[in-house]
Amino acid sequence: MQEKSIKELFLNSEIYQNHELTFSAWVASNRGNKKIRFLAINDGSTVENLQVTFKGENFDFNLLDQIHIGAAIKVKGRIVLTPHAQQPLELIASEFTLLRDTELDYPIQKQAINVETLREIPHLRHRTSLIRTVMLIRSSLALEVHKYFENNGFLYFNAPIITSNDGEGAGETFEIKDSNLKEPFFGLNKKATLGVTGQLHAESYAIGFKKVYTFAPTFRAEHSNTKKHAAEFWMIEPEVAFYDLNDIIDLADDFLKTVIKNTIIKHPKEFEFLTKNVNPDLLETLNKFITTKLSVLDYRDAIKELAKVKDRFEEQNIHFGLDLATEHEKYLASEIAKGPVAVINFPKSFKAFYMHQNNDNETVASFDLLVPGIGELIGGSQREVNYDKLLTRALEIGISQDELQWYLDLRRFGDSGSSGFGVGFERLVMYVTGVDNIRDVIPYPRTSGSIKM
Amino acid sequence: MQEKSIKELFLNSEIYQNHELTFSAWVASNRGNKKIRFLAINDGSTVENLQVTFKGENFDFNLLDQIHIGAAIKVKGRIVLTPHAQQPLELIASEFTLLRDTELDYPIQKQAINVETLREIPHLRHRTSLIRTVMLIRSSLALEVHKYFENNGFLYFNAPIITSNDGEGAGETFEIKDSNLKEPFFGLNKKATLGVTGQLHAESYAIGFKKVYTFAPTFRAEHSNTKKHAAEFWMIEPEVAFYDLNDIIDLADDFLKTVIKNTIIKHPKEFEFLTKNVNPDLLETLNKFITTKLSVLDYRDAIKELAKVKDRFEEQNIHFGLDLATEHEKYLASEIAKGPVAVINFPKSFKAFYMHQNNDNETVASFDLLVPGIGELIGGSQREVNYDKLLTRALEIGISQDELQWYLDLRRFGDSGSSGFGVGFERLVMYVTGVDNIRDVIPYPRTSGSIKM
């Protein structure tokens, strides 16, 4: 028979009262004496531990005393509700097997360990309550992303990771080569890089499928050693044919609110943990976001607001044409909008070539969704549908027409326009958990100068 | 108001009778005369087209006549059920906008195009009924995979793609380097390759989360130019602590049956199309698989069966130690098991170092799940939990202990064993759609010598 999970047991404790259940799990703490012993065990289904109580003559209390944190055990027992105790229920053990103990240098012990130290042991750190909680929420967020798009009629589209196109023209790419051969794997003179975006390919599928999204790893050879940059991260990129800038901002807003709301519902205990240990305002902030209409702010107005308080910033040259830095983004979200805000109509000078050019000839129909504490969470735009304008802009920034012809051709073949956005998935996990370093929300972070395991 | 999809309209046609609805979609065919015109349109939600009928004085029939296949249009009209006509319903148009026509060199026209030609235009081929159908089923299969694991209490785990470990020790990896710099991005003497599996990392998360799975792109610098090999493909890798070989085979069987069954239910029209156009036995074969208990065959018995008919094969040296070729796998599935079969207990000589060594000292607790027509769909094993045996085997095949120490250490830290398997997602799509070339089930295939767009 399948074992129940500890999460299921806690959710349906009334049902299991007095039932005999078996759990395979790991020891989180071990206390007691020669007559009674309490093992708190965890099976990874929730941040909550299950207390197992050993008493009577069935057990070797000397052996129980010596079991270490992290040991794998199997235990059978009877569920007893304990509404007046610290924990809502316990398992009174009747049978017990120590499957595999930990050796003495197992680094996760009772004392709290700081996150920097934990980053040295990415293969073990998820057995702490903090990283366990983060990864449980990360997993649920990912599933809610898929469900959101499925419920809204989107096709899940897999863009190629290895590409000969550099979508943003940013140049911060990784090149790949065959380890074994000197000749190029994909053919002579074929450049092969790791994709920085799936968007161009997603656009081709939006024409025909109407609503598509990607959810896949993305790569940037960025040397910025900040709290929010990684060389490898997951990105979600929806693309919808027939949508304009307003439609796609509405989608971004509804998307965020829905996945966050559903994730909170699934994880009461994990959010309780984060509120206690990471950020006391976390749930309040998230709930406010879910229930508040998203603000929209024109870039020109954003510049005016920033100019008023320019002394607050490191970059004080606030002018039309400024590419907002994180400090500006955080100010706009925290102080002006007092919550998430979509800044729209950025100058075309620092935005990607494929964005729809507004009639003012200076700005593009783009948006950045900024959130307090993090800055940019989502960036998106309406795409330029005019073949000539698109080509001219691509050539201006040095992209070769040859390489881009397939993408340009979409405009000749029934493409009446589309809009889309990209969400850095790790930034979303940071926003939802309150954890402020990207290295702590992805299992094995890859950053400039660091590739562990 | 949100537009309905054509799929939703067909599913609930009774509800929409006489309703006024609007569709943005693309023209699939255009026929008629100066008084009445029929446009079949498709919005990508289903392989079925919606017939739009134009009559009366509202319309410019000369303009309608000139609309090309692939054009983007917006049309409003009234739904009329037509139970006695070829199509179950039609839209009687009242308003119409041609949003964007196709130019004359648009390659997708009325005539059927063979799949080889379509591979030259991966940015357009999904607008044919065949590739549209395949991609709709691919998307649903992916979502069913996520749902299956969620419903069974698994954590969705993202293994790193860029890695310094080569999980299989196979050496067929892509190396990556920063395009802009000569110094290595991840640090001096740090090899960085694209992962060939997420399994080793998934094992570390199974210890602590119990049930985890990956679903991510995977890379092999394989020069085999076959119908079932690609350099980039998606892989699903569940890993479960406390599971042995039998448990994990049961999981593989239940997993496959569930995701296939649910996908078939979602796509009656698409499977009707595939049965008509790709393989007349497709649904029968899949339904038989869903309802039949999976056969299990020991490798030694498989060798005996193959030896009986060795003249049928190109590789006729059938002996203990033979790594089964696709021809052998197909024979075992089609002729011996007459359906999917799990071959178990392979010789350790050609299997990965981390597989549990059986007591006979010759075989490992592994399985390959073979299906008719394709061969291997799933490969998996129980992992070796004994530290010394694991280390000895790794050294035997030339893996450095230094690199592997973190993985070996799992066995010292509460790892009482786990089992897992890997499913090549594209092979699963091939099996479910009946399409026999991997290039036709992934949007932008990357194979030896080929990287389009």
Side-chain angles (χ1 to χ4, degrees):
Chain A
M1 203 192 69
Q2 281 277 351
E3 288 182 8
K4 304 278 170 256
S5 71
I6 291 176
K7 177 165 187 162
E8 196 184 333
L9 168 64
F10 278 111
L11 277 176
N12 300 293
S13 53
E14 303 281 334
I15 293 175
Y16 295 115
Q17 168 141 38
N18 277 320
H19 281 221
E20 286 273 331
L21 294 179
T22 300
F23 294 91
S24 302
W26 293 271
V27 173
S29 77
N30 182 359
R31 64 193 175 83
N33 53 42
K34 301 273 162 177
K35 290 190 166 161
I36 189 161
R37 186 142 291 270
F38 306 100
L39 293 189
I41 63 170
N42 190 290
D43 65 358
S45 62
T46 163
V47 70
E48 277 191 295
N49 298 326
L50 169 62
Q51 174 165 294
V52 184
T53 304
F54 297 83
K55 48 194 178 185
E57 283 156 24
N58 268 345
F59 303 106
D60 178 344
F61 282 83
N62 286 323
L63 183 143
L64 285 174
D65 180 46
Q66 286 161 38
I67 292 173
H68 298 99
I69 288 178
I73 58 111
K74 185 170 183 173
V75 61
K76 189 176 170 183
R78 190 169 50 83
I79 299 297
V80 175
L81 302 194
T82 53
H84 302 298
Q86 214 186 335
Q87 66 288 335
L89 55 81
E90 61 181 356
L91 184 83
I92 308 296
S94 55
E95 288 172 32
F96 174 79
T97 316
L98 173 61
L99 297 172
R100 174 70 63 117
D101 208 345
T102 46
E103 296 189 12
L104 292 179
D105 57 333
Y106 180 60
I108 295 168
Q109 298 298 333
K110 263 190 210 166
Q111 316 83 297
I113 313 175
N114 67 43
V115 288
E116 290 79 10
T117 308
L118 287 175
R119 277 176 216 146
E120 301 297 314
I121 47 168
H123 58 316
L124 301 173
R125 64 175 175 165
H126 58 280
R127 302 194 220 170
T128 63
S129 294
L130 175 64
I131 306 294
R132 175 177 290 138
T133 295
V134 169
M135 295 304 164
L136 284 168
I137 290 175
R138 179 187 169 102
S139 174
S140 290
L141 270 172
L143 295 169
E144 290 302 325
V145 167
H146 283 297
K147 281 190 210 162
Y148 178 83
F149 288 117
E150 186 189 25
N151 291 339
N152 286 280
F154 280 68
L155 179 96
Y156 179 40
F157 163 72
N158 296 128
I161 307 292
I162 301 175
T163 176
S164 47
N165 272 126
D166 170 5
E168 305 276 341
E172 289 178 323
T173 53
F174 289 109
E175 251 176 73
I176 71 162
K177 65 189 185 77
D178 189 332
S179 308
N180 295 318
L181 287 178
K182 277 169 192 164
E183 53 178 303
F185 184 89
F186 294 106
L188 278 173
N189 302 319
K190 288 280 186 189
K191 190 181 69 172
T193 59
L194 290 180
V196 298
T197 170
Q199 179 206 311
L200 273 58
H201 299 92
E203 278 187 53
S204 74
Y205 264 56
I207 313 307
F209 283 112
K210 204 166 170 176
K211 297 170 166 188
V212 304
Y213 73 106
T214 73
F215 189 174
T218 312
F219 305 87
R220 302 256 165 104
E222 271 185 299
H223 286 267
S224 352
N225 227 324
T226 79
K227 285 183 168 190
K228 61 179 202 179
H229 288 95
E232 173 180 320
F233 55 97
W234 284 67
M235 189 140 76
I236 303 149
E237 296 181 283
E239 184 77 26
V240 188
F242 310 112
Y243 266 28
D244 66 15
L245 183 64
N246 290 329
D247 297 326
I248 202 72
I249 292 174
D250 286 349
L251 181 75
D253 188 31
D254 186 56
F255 161 77
L256 278 183
K257 286 173 172 158
T258 307
V259 301
I260 294 174
K261 190 175 65 191
N262 292 344
T263 301
I264 291 174
I265 291 168
K266 271 185 180 172
H267 289 289
K269 290 296 167 186
E270 284 70 32
F271 279 96
E272 194 181 307
F273 176 86
L274 292 171
T275 301
K276 214 176 272 175
N277 294 281
V278 176
N279 175 359
D281 301 327
L282 182 67
L283 263 182
E284 197 189 316
T285 306
L286 293 175
N287 281 323
K288 193 183 153 209
F289 170 53
I290 292 168
T291 52
T292 310
K293 198 174 144 49
L294 179 70
S295 319
V296 176
L297 185 64
D298 196 277
Y299 171 84
R300 290 179 200 267
D301 297 326
I303 289 294
K304 281 180 203 154
E305 291 294 343
L306 295 171
K308 286 182 198 166
V309 292
K310 65 178 181 182
D311 296 346
R312 300 172 62 132
F313 304 120
E314 218 167 288
E315 173 57 72
Q316 304 189 350
N317 185 8
I318 310 291
H319 63 286
F320 180 89
L322 172 72
D323 191 358
L324 304 184
T326 301
E327 55 175 348
H328 308 123
E329 294 173 345
K330 285 184 180 177
Y331 174 79
L332 291 170
S334 307
E335 306 296 327
I336 301 300
K338 300 193 193 307
V341 55
V343 178
I344 60 170
N345 297 327
F346 286 87
K348 69 176 177 184
S349 54
F350 59 82
K351 285 291 183 183
F353 74 95
Y354 48 70
M355 296 186 177
H356 172 73
Q357 295 165 37
N358 290 328
N359 288 334
D360 64 10
N361 257 327
E362 291 187 321
T363 61
V364 285
S366 61
F367 78 103
D368 280 1
L369 198 152
L370 315 177
V371 296
I374 291 181
E376 185 191 333
L377 186 60
I378 292 187
S381 74
Q382 182 176 331
R383 318 307 184 188
E384 181 56 62
V385 72
N386 180 295
Y387 182 95
D388 294 323
K389 282 189 182 175
L390 184 64
L391 173 58
T392 304
R393 192 77 188 111
L395 295 175
E396 269 172 24
I397 65 158
I399 299 179
S400 97
Q401 181 170 356
D402 238 30
E403 243 183 49
L404 205 65
Q405 193 57 53
W406 68 275
Y407 176 72
L408 292 164
D409 279 347
L410 299 178
R411 275 67 180 168
R412 302 196 304 111
F413 296 147
D415 179 354
S416 76
S418 67
S419 297
F421 61 81
V423 193
F425 180 58
E426 279 73 22
R427 288 197 191 171
L428 178 59
V429 181
M430 289 165 70
Y431 180 60
V432 173
T433 58
V435 168
D436 74 347
N437 196 309
I438 196 169
R439 291 165 183 78
D440 302 325
V441 301
I442 187 166
Y444 288 83
R446 270 73 179 102
T447 54
S448 172
S450 173
I451 177 170
K452 280 196 196 311
M453 291 145 194
Chain B
M1 204 193 70
Q2 281 277 351
E3 288 182 8
K4 303 276 170 259
S5 70
I6 291 176
K7 177 164 186 163
E8 197 185 331
L9 168 64
F10 277 112
L11 277 176
N12 299 293
S13 54
E14 303 281 333
I15 294 175
Y16 294 115
Q17 167 140 39
N18 276 320
H19 281 222
E20 287 273 330
L21 294 179
T22 300
F23 294 91
S24 302
W26 293 270
V27 172
S29 77
N30 182 359
R31 64 193 176 83
N33 55 41
K34 301 272 163 178
K35 290 190 166 159
I36 189 162
R37 187 143 289 271
F38 306 100
L39 293 189
I41 64 170
N42 189 290
D43 66 357
S45 63
T46 162
V47 70
E48 277 191 295
N49 298 327
L50 169 61
Q51 173 164 296
V52 184
T53 304
F54 297 84
K55 46 192 179 188
E57 283 156 24
N58 269 347
F59 302 106
D60 178 344
F61 282 84
N62 286 324
L63 184 143
L64 283 173
D65 180 46
Q66 285 161 38
I67 292 173
H68 298 100
I69 287 178
I73 58 112
K74 186 170 183 173
V75 62
K76 189 176 170 182
R78 192 167 50 83
I79 299 298
V80 175
L81 301 194
T82 54
H84 301 298
Q86 215 186 337
Q87 65 288 334
L89 54 81
E90 61 180 356
L91 184 83
I92 308 296
S94 55
E95 289 172 33
F96 174 78
T97 315
L98 174 60
L99 297 173
R100 175 68 64 116
D101 207 347
T102 46
E103 296 188 13
L104 292 179
D105 56 335
Y106 180 60
I108 295 168
Q109 299 297 335
K110 263 190 210 166
Q111 316 83 297
I113 313 175
N114 67 41
V115 287
E116 290 80 8
T117 307
L118 286 175
R119 278 176 216 147
E120 300 298 315
I121 47 168
H123 59 315
L124 301 172
R125 65 174 174 166
H126 58 280
R127 301 194 219 170
T128 63
S129 294
L130 174 64
I131 306 294
R132 175 177 290 138
T133 296
V134 169
M135 295 303 164
L136 284 168
I137 290 175
R138 179 187 168 103
S139 173
S140 291
L141 270 173
L143 294 169
E144 290 302 325
V145 167
H146 283 298
K147 282 189 212 162
Y148 177 84
F149 287 117
E150 186 189 25
N151 292 339
N152 286 279
F154 279 69
L155 180 96
Y156 179 41
F157 162 74
N158 296 129
I161 307 293
I162 302 176
T163 177
S164 46
N165 271 126
D166 170 6
E168 304 276 342
E172 289 179 322
T173 54
F174 289 109
E175 250 176 75
I176 72 162
K177 63 188 184 78
D178 189 331
S179 307
N180 295 317
L181 289 177
K182 276 172 190 159
E183 52 178 304
F185 184 88
F186 294 106
L188 278 173
N189 301 318
K190 287 281 185 185
K191 191 180 69 173
T193 59
L194 290 180
V196 298
T197 169
Q199 179 207 312
L200 272 58
H201 299 92
E203 277 187 53
S204 74
Y205 264 56
I207 312 309
F209 284 112
K210 202 166 169 175
K211 298 171 164 188
V212 305
Y213 73 106
T214 73
F215 189 175
T218 312
F219 305 87
R220 302 256 164 104
E222 269 185 301
H223 287 266
S224 351
N225 228 324
T226 78
K227 285 183 168 189
K228 62 179 201 179
H229 287 96
E232 173 181 320
F233 55 97
W234 285 67
M235 188 140 76
I236 302 148
E237 296 181 282
E239 185 77 27
V240 188
F242 311 110
Y243 267 26
D244 66 14
L245 183 65
N246 289 330
D247 296 327
I248 202 71
I249 292 174
D250 286 349
L251 181 75
D253 187 30
D254 185 55
F255 161 78
L256 277 183
K257 285 174 172 159
T258 307
V259 301
I260 293 173
K261 190 176 65 189
N262 291 344
T263 301
I264 290 174
I265 290 169
K266 272 185 180 171
H267 289 288
K269 291 296 166 185
E270 285 70 32
F271 279 95
E272 194 181 306
F273 175 87
L274 292 171
T275 302
K276 214 177 272 174
N277 294 281
V278 176
N279 175 358
D281 301 328
L282 182 67
L283 264 181
E284 197 188 318
T285 305
L286 294 175
N287 281 323
K288 192 183 154 209
F289 170 54
I290 292 168
T291 52
T292 309
K293 199 174 145 46
L294 179 70
S295 319
V296 175
L297 184 65
D298 196 278
Y299 171 84
R300 290 179 199 267
D301 296 326
I303 288 295
K304 281 181 203 154
E305 290 296 343
L306 294 171
K308 286 182 196 164
V309 292
K310 64 178 181 180
D311 295 346
R312 301 173 62 130
F313 305 120
E314 217 168 288
E315 174 57 72
Q316 304 190 351
N317 184 9
I318 312 289
H319 63 286
F320 180 89
L322 172 72
D323 191 358
L324 303 184
T326 301
E327 57 175 345
H328 308 123
E329 294 174 345
K330 285 183 178 175
Y331 174 80
L332 291 170
S334 308
E335 305 296 325
I336 300 300
K338 301 193 193 305
V341 55
V343 178
I344 60 171
N345 297 327
F346 286 87
K348 68 176 177 182
S349 53
F350 58 83
K351 285 291 183 184
F353 74 95
Y354 48 69
M355 296 184 177
H356 172 72
Q357 295 166 36
N358 290 329
N359 288 334
D360 63 10
N361 258 326
E362 290 187 321
T363 61
V364 285
S366 62
F367 78 102
D368 281 0
L369 197 152
L370 315 177
V371 295
I374 292 182
E376 185 190 335
L377 186 60
I378 292 185
S381 74
Q382 181 177 332
R383 318 308 184 187
E384 181 56 63
V385 72
N386 181 296
Y387 182 96
D388 294 323
K389 281 188 182 175
L390 184 63
L391 173 58
T392 305
R393 192 74 189 115
L395 294 176
E396 269 172 26
I397 66 158
I399 299 178
S400 97
Q401 180 171 356
D402 239 30
E403 243 183 50
L404 205 65
Q405 193 57 52
W406 68 274
Y407 176 73
L408 292 164
D409 279 346
L410 299 178
R411 275 65 179 169
R412 302 198 302 111
F413 295 149
D415 178 355
S416 77
S418 67
S419 296
F421 61 81
V423 193
F425 180 57
E426 280 72 22
R427 288 197 189 170
L428 178 60
V429 181
M430 289 166 70
Y431 180 60
V432 173
T433 59
V435 168
D436 74 347
N437 196 309
I438 196 168
R439 291 164 184 78
D440 302 325
V441 302
I442 187 166
Y444 288 83
R446 270 73 179 102
T447 53
S448 173
S450 173
I451 177 170
K452 281 197 196 311
M453 293 142 193

